[in-house]
Amino acid sequence: MPHGTRALFFQGSEASGLSISPATPDSSALLTCAGSTADADGDSLTELYEWSDASGASLGTGSSLQLDPGTVKPGDALTCTLTATDTDGAAHSASASATVANRDPVVASVT
């Protein structure tokens, strides 16, 4: 399984891997968390995506998160958690993480 990818298990069924792309985002990247879920009983599932930083503070919900240099900095660890809940109320979560990368400086001109 690729680095940063986690398998999601729900009611004994394995779902496809949960991953964040890009895998090494910079502080202004648009992140996407992708995964899928399945229920062994065939129940319908509700999926909830939640984003947080290393302190556990919420950064947003939904499968995408727009980063902002005013909110995150290089070295910050970000986590996407996907929670699947079936019609009987049974729930299971899986998480994937990515670390904000440092961007190279840019030389505007040489004189």
Side-chain angles (χ1 to χ4, degrees):
M1 203 176 294
H3 177 69
T5 300
R6 303 287 184 269
L8 178 63
F9 294 88
F10 190 78
Q11 296 291 322
S13 296
E14 182 177 346
S16 62
L18 181 64
S19 63
I20 296 175
S21 63
T24 53
D26 63 38
S27 60
S28 60
L30 175 63
L31 298 181
T32 302
C33 187
S36 61
T37 57
D39 183 77
D41 302 323
D43 293 339
S44 295
L45 297 173
T46 300
E47 296 180 350
L48 173 65
Y49 290 88
E50 297 177 299
W51 295 88
S52 59
D53 63 16
S55 72
S58 177
L59 298 174
T61 58
S63 60
S64 296
L65 177 69
Q66 179 64 58
L67 298 182
D68 182 298
T71 307
V72 299
K73 63 186 183 311
D76 284 354
L78 308 176
T79 301
C80 172
T81 301
L82 171 58
T83 302
T85 305
D86 71 11
T87 54
D88 295 321
H92 186 81
S93 298
S95 297
S97 297
T99 300
V100 178
N102 187 34
R103 287 190 284 188
D104 293 334
V106 175
V107 175
S109 65
V110 176
T111 57

